[in-house]
Amino acid sequence: MTVETMEIKKDDCYVGLTHDHLNLNLVVDRVRSPRAGAIVMFAGTTRDNFAGKPVKELQYSAYNPLALRTMLSICKDIHAKHGLISIAMVHRLGIVPIGEESIIIAVSAPHRQAAWRAAEQALEDCKERVEVWKREEFEGEDGVWRANRDGGVGQRLSGADLALK
């Protein structure tokens, strides 16, 4: 990772936020171990549509210090719960074009079942709890800010709406 990366490594947990392209191999190398019988890696990518509308790109923003602490807390909990060897979670910020990765999660464990379960839980917990927000930019229309969750459609806010909050 580069100087554009904010990161925390504690025990066998690594978390990072970056404006750089994500490198699958670098994240997997963070969890590689001779004690591991399995490494599971998840890469979330920007797809070209949402609810039938063509997506131009996604833009991610975060409250970095809190997001990193939340990511680390998630990783530590999952590490303990699933008996992992190591876990890494890296989220990209800024503009993420179609087909590029916005998040990579890698886990290593003695056995594959724990690695599968841990990787899925890490993604779901990240989407539910981490202070990262995304803006979907659509072709030919305004973008929509939304919480970084699956499925829920965001709502446009006018200046008057923002003043009331």
Side-chain angles (χ1 to χ4, degrees), residues 57-78:
E57 65 192 17
L58 297 180
Q59 297 175 19
Y60 289 91
S61 63
Y63 178 55
N64 298 343
L66 186 55
L68 285 169
R69 284 195 304 271
T70 303
M71 291 166 73
L72 184 61
S73 173
I74 289 168
C75 288
K76 288 168 82 174
D77 290 349
I78 289 171

Side-chain angles (χ1 to χ4, degrees), residues 26-102:
L26 287 178
V27 179
V28 169
D29 285 347
R30 293 225 177 247
V31 302
R32 194 173 302 281
S33 168
R35 297 179 293 132
I39 293 176
V40 170
M41 189 272 306
F42 171 83
T45 59
T46 301
R47 64 179 172 266
D48 65 359
N49 71 84
F50 179 80
K53 297 194 303 195
V55 172
K56 182 172 81 173
E57 65 192 17
L58 297 180
Q59 297 175 19
Y60 289 91
S61 63
Y63 178 55
N64 298 343
L66 186 55
L68 285 169
R69 284 195 304 271
T70 303
M71 291 166 73
L72 184 61
S73 173
I74 289 168
C75 288
K76 288 168 82 174
D77 290 349
I78 289 171
H79 185 278
K81 177 180 179 182
H82 294 281
L84 300 180
I85 293 167
S86 191
I87 181 169
M89 179 186 294
V90 181
H91 206 299
R92 186 167 167 189
L93 301 175
I95 294 172
V96 182
I98 301 298
E100 293 189 16
E101 292 79 19
S102 56

Side-chain angles (χ1 to χ4, degrees), residues 3 13 16 24 46 73 89 93 102 113 150 155:
V3 294
C13 299
L24 304 171
T46 301
S73 173
M89 179 186 294
L93 301 175
S102 56
Q113 295 89 352
D150 285 338
Q155 296 180 346

Side-chain angles (χ1 to χ4, degrees), residues 17-31:
L17 296 169
T18 184
H19 285 87
D20 292 336
H21 292 272
L22 299 181
N23 183 316
L24 304 171
N25 291 330
L26 287 178
V27 179
V28 169
D29 285 347
R30 293 225 177 247
V31 302

